[in-house]
Amino acid sequence: MRSKFQVTSLFTKLRDTARRSSSHLAFDGVVDPKGLTARPPRTVDPVLAPALSIPSPDPTGEDRACDLHQNSGQRLARQEDWAAVSKAIRAAEAAGTRTPGGMPVADLIAFGARADVVHAAEHALLSGRPAKDAPLLDGIIALEEVLAEHPGDYTIACVVAMAHIDIGWAWRGTGWAVEVPQRNREAFEAHFDRARDILETSLIEDQPSPLLATAQCAVRSGLPTDTNRLIAAYEALIDMDPLNARAYRNMGTHLLPRWHGSVQDLEVQARRMASRSQAVWGAGGYTWVMLDAIALDDAACSQLDIAFFIEGLHDILARRTDQHTVNLLAAYCANTMGMTLDASDDVAFVRGQIADCAKWIIRQHLTELHPMIWAHAARGFDNNLRVRCPDRFAAAGAADAHRILCDMFRRELSQGKRVVFTDRGAQLEPV
């Protein structure tokens, strides 16, 4: 590991790259440094809206589970009980515990342990004009000191490396490299270089850890790398944790031409992942790998095997029936793909077929509404969104969902019926 002096010198360089760009707050409460907004808000038909009722728990079961484990990691970190953080992560990995929506509990504890540091840096960057005394680096320096006190502990190394990665993405965003200001790109690269050093030079034990594999994939995805090495890293992660849908989705995104692969690489690897995970997901491995990639890249979308993708949707929902997954796939089909404008004919055709899947997903599987998922769907599930007003963000997602549901049940509603969602799905009742 670098000396404390070397690490401090790195942070001095990072501090000098503070951004001075302006930002814009969109109608849905998202900070957009480019001054752009999401799709313009659309209103629900006031005649139809009162006749459609769907429960919207706040928080959802998935939210409660995620908060529980994140708060556990955060509380231990605030108490500076890093031995307990390490023990909790190891126990969660050994047991393979996950939330109802499939999120690994070890990942959530690790995120909670670094959350204060990451959120402080993100808040300092939120407006694009961090104050001179903003706590942009104080937290990460403190984490580096923790790392020095726990040499060889892979859990602590992962927490600190992932904190660097999270802050790096906060600097960069997820656009094309040519869209990122040079000073932001330099900060991104500095944080990723440090994360790579931690994972490569710390005396990390030989541990078959999905958390460690996730960190290695994350750092490799953000730096120049050989495509085959990136694929091998994701294969190792998925072999260890085949139920982790996020791993498939990240793999697909980072095989796009804008990152480390090509449309051909994406298609080949999506099929290979479907084969490797067939016992777990059926055809769903193909769908998970393609999910975000085809929303981001028109060329990938135009070459999609639509029949295989839709078969995967059915297989996923046959295996994972929780409402988090149902909302995610319904919102993806109806909102992420169904509301995309200005596409070429071949891309629009594929997106239209995927959007049609929302009908059977909603009618056959939906029992409750998760507005935050629908809000993220409208923004393409960008993990680096800076949401300044969560209430406005959730309200925008709820409005999108209600409008889409009213359109979907327009015939029934216009016939004077009431649509009520229960634990048995959509039920028709007389008004």
Side-chain angles (χ1 to χ4, degrees), residues 161-189:
M162 290 299 290
H164 277 288
I165 290 169
D166 291 343
I167 296 171
W169 282 118
W171 275 102
R172 188 196 184 284
T174 55
W176 290 84
V178 295
E179 300 173 347
V180 182
Q182 180 178 353
R183 64 187 64 179
N184 294 50
R185 188 163 57 249
E186 289 174 354
F188 168 80
E189 291 170 354

Side-chain angles (χ1 to χ4, degrees), residues 81-363:
D81 193 348
W82 291 96
V85 170
S86 177
K87 182 179 179 180
I89 291 174
R90 292 169 186 269
E93 287 214 300
T97 51
R98 60 186 71 243
T99 66
M103 186 71 178
V105 167
D107 290 10
L108 294 168
I109 298 171
F111 178 78
R114 66 183 187 271
D116 284 341
V117 171
V118 173
H119 290 160
E122 289 177 340
H123 182 75
L125 292 168
L126 191 63
S127 68
R129 301 179 65 87
K132 183 179 295 185
D133 59 349
L136 194 55
L137 296 170
D138 294 352
I140 196 69
I141 291 173
L143 282 183
E144 288 281 353
E145 293 173 351
V146 172
L147 177 64
E149 295 168 0
H150 295 80
D153 190 325
Y154 82 93
T155 66
I156 306 302
C158 287
V159 168
V160 181
M162 290 299 290
H164 277 288
I165 290 169
D166 291 343
I167 296 171
W169 282 118
W171 275 102
R172 188 196 184 284
T174 55
W176 290 84
V178 295
E179 300 173 347
V180 182
Q182 180 178 353
R183 64 187 64 179
N184 294 50
R185 188 163 57 249
E186 289 174 354
F188 168 80
E189 291 170 354
H191 277 292
F192 267 75
D193 284 341
R194 179 61 190 140
R196 178 179 56 194
D197 287 348
I198 290 170
L199 295 176
E200 289 183 353
T201 63
S202 295
L203 297 177
I204 299 173
E205 62 214 76
D206 184 14
Q207 176 75 17
S209 161
L211 178 66
L212 179 56
T214 296
Q216 290 168 334
C217 287
V219 74
R220 192 176 294 277
S221 298
L223 292 172
T225 188
D226 177 76
T227 303
N228 290 331
R229 290 185 177 181
L230 180 69
I231 292 169
Y234 273 110
E235 286 179 344
L237 169 58
I238 290 170
D239 285 348
M240 278 188 278
D241 191 8
L243 288 171
N244 187 354
R246 174 58 61 182
Y248 299 80
R249 294 173 66 182
N250 288 344
M251 180 184 189
T253 297
H254 290 111
L255 284 176
L256 287 173
R258 68 180 67 187
W259 294 111
H260 306 293
S262 66
V263 171
Q264 291 72 31
D265 290 329
L266 174 66
E267 176 67 25
V268 169
Q269 297 309 318
R271 291 182 179 277
R272 290 186 70 242
M273 286 301 103
S275 177
R276 292 170 75 102
S277 64
Q278 199 277 334
V280 176
W281 290 111
Y286 179 84
T287 303
W288 282 132
V289 173
M290 287 295 192
L291 199 78
D292 298 292
I294 61 174
L296 291 167
D297 192 289
D298 284 357
C301 186
S302 67
Q303 297 188 31
L304 181 73
D305 184 337
I306 186 63
F308 198 14
F309 184 90
I310 293 174
E311 180 185 352
L313 289 175
H314 283 281
D315 286 349
I316 291 169
L317 290 170
R319 289 159 173 78
R320 183 168 286 174
T321 59
D322 62 280
Q323 285 300 295
H324 176 84
T325 302
V326 173
N327 272 264
L328 188 152
L329 295 181
Y332 171 84
C333 293
N335 214 359
T336 306
M337 302 302 282
M339 297 293 121
T340 304
L341 305 176
D342 302 325
S344 61
D345 289 347
D346 54 344
V347 174
F349 175 75
V350 172
R351 287 180 174 156
Q353 288 187 289
I354 295 174
D356 283 343
C357 292
K359 298 175 183 177
W360 60 263
I361 293 175
I362 288 170
R363 289 178 179 270

Side-chain angles (χ1 to χ4, degrees), residues 43-65:
T43 58
V44 181
D45 187 332
V47 175
L48 302 182
L52 187 142
S53 175
I54 182 169
S56 184
D58 182 21
T60 67
E62 180 70 7
D63 291 339
R64 286 195 301 272

Side-chain angles (χ1 to χ4, degrees), residues 366-410:
L366 191 68
T367 63
E368 61 186 37
L369 188 65
H370 297 182
M372 290 294 276
I373 292 178
W374 288 78
H376 278 289
R379 289 283 188 167
F381 294 103
D382 183 352
N383 289 329
N384 292 286
L385 280 182
R386 295 170 184 171
V387 180
R388 177 176 287 177
C389 302
D391 289 345
R392 284 170 58 177
F393 192 59
D400 270 350
H402 278 279
R403 174 180 49 79
I404 289 168
L405 291 175
C406 283
D407 285 344
M408 189 169 297
F409 290 94
R410 181 172 293 274

